[in-house]
Amino acid sequence: MSTLTLGRRLAANLSDLSAQRWLPYALFAGLVTMWAYNYVVMKITLQAISPITHLILRTGIGSLTLFGVLLARGHGLKPQRLRQAAQVGLTTTFLYGLSITLALVAGAAGRTSVLVFTMPFWVALLSRHLLNEPFSAKARTALGTGFAGLMLIVAPWQLHGGMLPMLLAVLAGFLWALGSVLTKKAAQGGAMDSLNFSGWQAVIGLLPLALLLPFADFSTIRWSPALVLGMVYSGVFSSAVGWLAWLWLLRRLPASTLSFNALVIPVLTVAMAALSLGEWPASGELLGMLLIGSGIVLIARR
């Protein structure tokens, strides 16, 4: 075998190794950017549609997109791990979305929804007991640092509307965490078809939304190209594509590390809101971003 052939094989192996190592992180970077911008999109589209109607439409679009892709594939339609798919669907697709919507309906300020990103702390605790993932002293320091930064950004002591909206937002974070840990646990049970699991959990989570139809008001929707594009972004990309990417990442990275690094989302959201909506952060929010960044560096070096 020639030296040139050996060199080519070595270069190919290094390229494959590099892709396998960095692909999850590149996908994660794209995912958190997409989810962060979804807060801006939702804030804009909610000006033309009521919160409950928004919830039903975006969940319906996302769930039917996932299940539609499963149907279009033409095989493997029989549900895998139906019990776990139902648990994740009811927890993540239905109750998580409902909790955020009720927090907004209760009159909380827009930034209250960022409280959902207490999720990583719930994941770290749940993963320790349900997945036996390590929870080192360095991880606890990282979590504490990130939590302090998140509180500076959200500043719950400055919010108006009472405790209920904040508790609902924190509940949403817990539900997202529980759904992520249950998904990770289901994936640990052996080979699992990600698209099959995603499609069935999505359609199961969609079914209870029928109970909310009496509270929806489709007649007052102010249709426009911007609204349609925004709903497609929230439903197809942020919900359907985002969920598939999140599930793929959960199968390759520790749930606690992955979810904690998602704390970068409120940082990106604040920056995007400043650029897109003119909502420039205060000094406390900037300090919060710095603390979150420090926490991410700590947990990345565990």
Side-chain angles (χ1 to χ4, degrees):
M1 184 179 294
S2 68
T3 304
L4 180 60
T5 301
L6 285 172
R8 287 175 177 174
R9 286 195 173 184
L10 178 60
N13 291 336
L14 289 175
S15 177
D16 290 342
L17 178 62
S18 179
Q20 292 174 3
R21 180 179 180 183
W22 292 108
L23 180 59
Y25 298 99
L27 179 61
F28 179 78
L31 179 61
V32 297
T33 302
M34 179 173 65
W35 276 349
Y37 190 65
N38 189 50
Y39 279 93
V40 176
V41 172
M42 286 184 62
K43 184 167 185 178
I44 294 173
T45 53
L46 278 169
Q47 297 175 3
I49 186 171
S50 66
I52 294 294
T53 311
H54 194 285
L55 169 66
I56 293 173
L57 285 180
R58 76 172 187 268
T59 306
I61 292 171
S63 298
L64 293 177
T65 297
L66 278 173
F67 199 74
V69 172
L70 177 62
L71 291 175
R73 187 175 63 173
H75 65 87
L77 296 180
K78 183 179 179 180
Q80 299 180 0
R81 302 174 191 171
L82 186 59
R83 180 175 62 84
Q84 291 97 325
Q87 290 174 343
V88 174
L90 294 175
T91 300
T92 304
T93 300
F94 175 59
L95 291 175
Y96 163 73
L98 178 61
S99 298
I100 291 180
T101 303
L102 289 178
L104 294 172
V105 171
R111 283 188 301 165
T112 304
S113 62
V114 183
L115 278 171
V116 71
F117 288 96
T118 54
M119 176 271 294
F121 311 111
W122 296 117
V123 167
L125 296 173
L126 291 171
S127 295
R128 181 182 183 184
H129 298 289
L130 298 180
L131 301 177
N132 295 319
E133 290 187 357
F135 194 63
S136 65
K138 186 177 288 187
R140 288 192 292 270
T141 302
L143 291 172
T145 303
F147 184 78
L150 182 61
M151 289 299 98
L152 285 174
I153 291 176
V154 176
W157 53 86
Q158 295 179 359
L159 298 177
H160 302 285
M163 289 295 297
L164 181 60
M166 290 186 289
L167 292 176
L168 287 169
V170 173
L171 175 62
F174 174 80
L175 291 167
W176 185 3
L178 181 59
S180 295
V181 173
L182 290 173
T183 300
K184 180 84 172 182
K185 191 171 184 179
Q188 290 179 341
M192 184 179 75
D193 186 337
S194 298
L195 182 57
N196 181 286
F197 188 86
S198 298
W200 280 104
Q201 72 82 20
V203 78
I204 291 171
L206 178 63
L207 296 177
L209 285 175
L211 300 174
L212 300 180
L213 285 173
F215 303 98
D217 189 358
F218 295 92
S219 63
T220 59
I221 299 176
R222 298 192 296 275
W223 291 104
S224 68
L227 175 62
V228 173
L229 290 174
M231 296 306 296
V232 169
Y233 183 94
S234 294
V236 176
F237 294 101
S238 182
S239 296
V241 176
W243 170 255
L244 283 174
W246 183 254
L247 179 58
W248 188 87
L249 289 167
L250 279 172
R251 297 179 65 181
R252 288 161 176 83
L253 298 173
S256 55
T257 299
L258 180 62
S259 61
F260 183 77
N261 279 272
L263 277 173
V264 74
I265 293 178
V267 177
L268 290 175
T269 301
V270 170
M272 290 175 176
L275 294 174
S276 302
L277 305 173
E279 298 177 354
W280 294 95
S283 57
E285 293 173 332
L286 292 174
L287 177 58
M289 293 181 201
L290 179 61
L291 288 173
I292 289 175
S294 300
I296 291 174
V297 171
L298 281 174
I299 207 164
R301 297 178 60 186
R302 280 196 301 169

